[in-house]
């Protein structure tokens, strides 16, 4: 019952304003020169996306887009400074003063799509890049084990 009520509260707009508007982690100091974009429950790895968002944080919009496009072409790499267990060491990591790096394709594509979405309103830099874990989906069990 507690799980059902939690699900019901989320659908009813829990944590949102009276008008059902999206609640962001930060408000802009100058709203005329800033923009907001968000994605919810994206089917990407949380840790890769969090590290990728940290890499483009505080970059100019055009520079961030160019950087993500270069990562997709393996010209530059995303430095893994946290969530870096079992991450290999590569020479490209020297460009960002790190030792461990990767090229997370799917995370870069999702963040690039978010930046292109926000591009119409933004002309300055990214103030905040925030990642939260998505809702976990239930995995299907095979009926073989239950039919015994």
């Amino acid at each position: 019952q507690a799980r059902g009520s939690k699900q019901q509260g989320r659908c009813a707009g829990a944590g949102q304003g009276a008008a059902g508007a999206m609640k962001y982690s930060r408000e802009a100091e100058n709203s005329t020169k800033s923009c907001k974009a968000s994605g919810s429950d994206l089917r990407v790895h949380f840790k890769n996306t969090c590290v990728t968002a940290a890499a483009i944080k505080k970059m100019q919009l055009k520079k961030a887009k160019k950087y993500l496009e270069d990562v997709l072409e393996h010209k530059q790499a995303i430095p893994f400074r946290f969530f870096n267990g079992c991450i290999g060491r590569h020479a490209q990591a020297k460009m960002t003063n790190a030792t461990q790096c990767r090229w997370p394709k799917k995370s870069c594509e999702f963040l690039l799509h978010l930046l292109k979405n926000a591009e119409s309103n933004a002309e300055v830099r990214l103030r905040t890049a925030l990642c939260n874990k998505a809702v976990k989906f239930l995995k299907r069990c095979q009926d073989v084990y239950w039919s015994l």
Side-chain angles (χ1 to χ4, degrees):
Q1 288 180 351
R3 183 175 176 174
S5 62
K6 185 177 181 184
Q7 182 73 18
Q8 202 172 25
R10 191 179 318 122
C11 292
Q16 297 177 355
M22 183 65 125
K23 183 176 179 182
Y24 291 93
S25 63
R26 254 182 103 156
E27 292 300 323
E29 295 136 4
N30 189 356
S31 60
T32 59
K33 293 185 178 181
S34 64
C35 70
K36 295 177 184 178
S38 69
S40 60
D41 297 335
L42 302 175
R43 299 289 289 171
V44 288
H45 291 278
F46 164 72
K47 292 182 179 181
N48 288 347
T49 309
C50 194
V51 170
T52 307
I56 64 169
K57 189 174 179 180
K58 303 237 174 140
M59 278 188 187
Q60 297 285 332
L61 183 63
K62 290 181 182 177
K63 186 178 177 184
K65 283 176 58 179
K66 175 74 173 127
Y67 179 68
L68 290 177
E69 288 167 358
D70 285 348
V71 169
L72 290 174
E73 296 171 3
H74 286 237
K75 292 180 181 176
Q76 293 190 41
I78 300 289
F80 275 64
R81 293 190 172 94
F82 49 94
F83 298 131
N84 57 354
C86 298
I87 303 290
R89 296 180 287 187
H90 300 280
Q92 264 191 357
K94 292 179 186 177
M95 297 167 67
T96 56
N97 295 329
T99 54
Q100 297 168 303
C101 68
R102 273 191 179 169
W103 302 268
K105 180 183 175 204
K106 199 170 178 184
S107 297
C108 287
E109 288 172 351
F110 271 84
L111 286 175
L112 197 56
H113 186 268
L114 271 178
L115 289 179
K116 286 179 181 176
N117 249 352
E119 185 178 17
S120 61
N121 295 334
E123 295 179 7
V124 285
R125 67 177 61 205
L126 299 170
R127 291 284 179 209
T128 308
L130 178 71
C131 289
N132 293 324
K133 283 192 177 181
V135 177
K136 292 195 176 183
F137 293 98
L138 296 175
K139 295 181 181 175
R140 296 182 185 213
C141 297
Q142 292 181 357
D143 293 334
V144 177
Y145 296 114
W146 298 107
S147 62
L148 295 178

